[in-house]
Amino acid sequence: MSGPLSVFRDNVLSGHVALVTGGGTGICRGIAAAYARLGADVCIVSRKQDVLDAAARELSEQSGRTVIGVAADVRNPDAIAAAIRTTIDRFGKLDTVVNGAAGNFLAPAAALSPNGFKTVIDIDLLGTFNTSRAAFEALSASGDALILNISATLHYHGTPLQVHASAAKAGVDAVTKNLAVEWGRFRIRVCGIAPGPIAETEGMKRLAPGEVTEKMAAAIPAARFGTIEEIAAAAVYLRSPAAGYVTGHVLVVDGGHCVATPPLGMAFPT
Ligand code: COA
């Protein structure tokens, strides 16, 4: 194994069972892949069964672990509860939930319909709550559980064309803190990852196409986009015993993007 995940022991997640919403594609597929590669059995959840079937087959082949795909919309509490039951029926327990299912698009606030705003809140924020709540009983029985919420850095400042997603992700970070406080006594840690601009993701393709991408990369202190594997490595760290006393924390993985405030009109020194 090479790359960021190579620092982890091969079987560090052996015996773990994880459910990853949004795990059919992008960052969350990368997290599911990393968990399986390091020994976990995984259920990936999203709306499209054909996408899940293909991803589950590939991840199983790559890892030698069992990866299953169960279609459910996180906006539907009954559907997500059924996906959790299927996971437990198949694997006997549940230790980790990654809340990664998200929807987004660029839209000026003045032209965004109330239903457009609500749709993204429903998927990102309500979906995170629905899944966490439905998993609570199973996670309480784990003895070493983690809820990992994938948010963003959009809401650390105002972000143009993203009022809906910024509000949703701010809410997700609030859920992370509040559940950490309420559920710590049940041995459930609740953490977040806030990815910056990550290459090869649906979000970057849709939200920052073409020349915008190059300008964004130049504005990142690390002078490049992150990789899906770098987010997956953070997700493995937070899942691992190395993070056993970390809860209520959102780990920013963004190459320094959100702390950079270059004076207007000035480039970073080369
Ligand atoms: N700009 C403005 N409004 C939009 C929009 C866009 N690009 N896309 C959707 N909306 C609005 C719709 O107009 C609708 O509001 P209305 O009823 O007032 O017209 C509302 O959002 C719901 O849209 P709909 O397509 O019915 O919702 P959906 O549940 O089928 O899908 C998304 C919603 C966000 C998942 C969809 O936009 C999508 O498929 N996005 C691409 C996948 C994605 O987001 N990946 C993650 C990238 S980070």
Side-chain angles (χ1 to χ4, degrees):
M1 198 188 291
S2 61
L5 293 169
S6 63
V7 300
F8 297 105
R9 186 161 42 83
D10 275 351
N11 60 355
V12 70
L13 298 183
S14 146
H16 279 278
V17 176
L19 179 141
V20 182
T21 73
T25 57
I27 285 174
C28 290
R29 178 185 160 133
I31 293 173
Y35 282 3
R37 257 168 81 177
L38 295 169
D41 291 319
V42 181
C43 175
I44 52 177
V45 175
S46 73
R47 286 189 292 173
K48 294 183 184 152
Q49 190 67 54
D50 56 332
V51 173
L52 290 171
D53 287 344
R57 195 169 49 247
E58 283 171 33
L59 299 189
S60 294
E61 282 167 11
Q62 286 163 12
S63 66
R65 303 305 311 175
T66 305
V67 180
I68 61 171
V70 179
D73 189 325
V74 294
R75 290 172 284 190
N76 180 338
D78 293 338
I80 200 70
I84 289 166
R85 275 198 304 278
T86 302
T87 307
I88 293 165
D89 288 347
R90 182 66 190 264
F91 299 126
K93 63 171 188 156
L94 181 63
D95 305 296
T96 300
V97 166
V98 178
N99 284 307
N104 200 5
F105 46 80
L106 295 175
L112 177 63
S113 74
N115 192 43
F117 186 95
K118 178 179 180 297
T119 297
V120 172
I121 296 285
D122 282 351
I123 299 170
D124 296 19
L125 177 53
L126 206 59
T128 293
F129 175 74
N130 289 341
T131 309
S132 303
R133 185 179 183 280
F136 171 72
E137 199 180 321
L139 294 177
S140 305
S142 160
D144 177 21
L146 173 73
I147 295 173
L148 181 59
N149 296 330
I150 309 303
S151 62
T153 60
L154 297 169
H155 53 291
Y156 296 177
H157 307 281
T159 303
L161 312 180
Q162 290 285 266
V163 65
H164 45 308
S166 293
K169 296 301 193 182
V172 169
D173 283 356
V175 168
T176 298
K177 288 183 190 164
N178 283 276
L179 295 188
V181 168
E182 284 200 32
W183 292 355
R185 71 190 61 196
F186 299 97
R187 297 191 183 178
I188 303 171
R189 292 185 297 112
V190 187
C191 294
I193 293 177
I198 304 300
E200 307 296 326
T201 59
E202 174 73 14
M204 284 312 297
K205 281 180 207 151
R206 290 170 58 88
L207 305 180
E211 71 284 4
V212 181
T213 311
E214 284 168 30
K215 278 190 194 151
M216 282 183 73
I220 298 167
R224 65 172 177 86
F225 283 17
T227 66
I228 288 176
E229 216 172 57
E230 286 170 329
I231 302 297
V236 173
Y237 159 68
L238 288 170
R239 173 52 279 184
S240 76
Y245 202 49
V246 180
T247 191
H249 180 70
V250 179
L251 180 59
V252 177
V253 185
D254 76 339
H257 190 221
C258 74
V259 294
T261 53
L264 285 177
M266 287 180 67
F268 287 103
T270 53

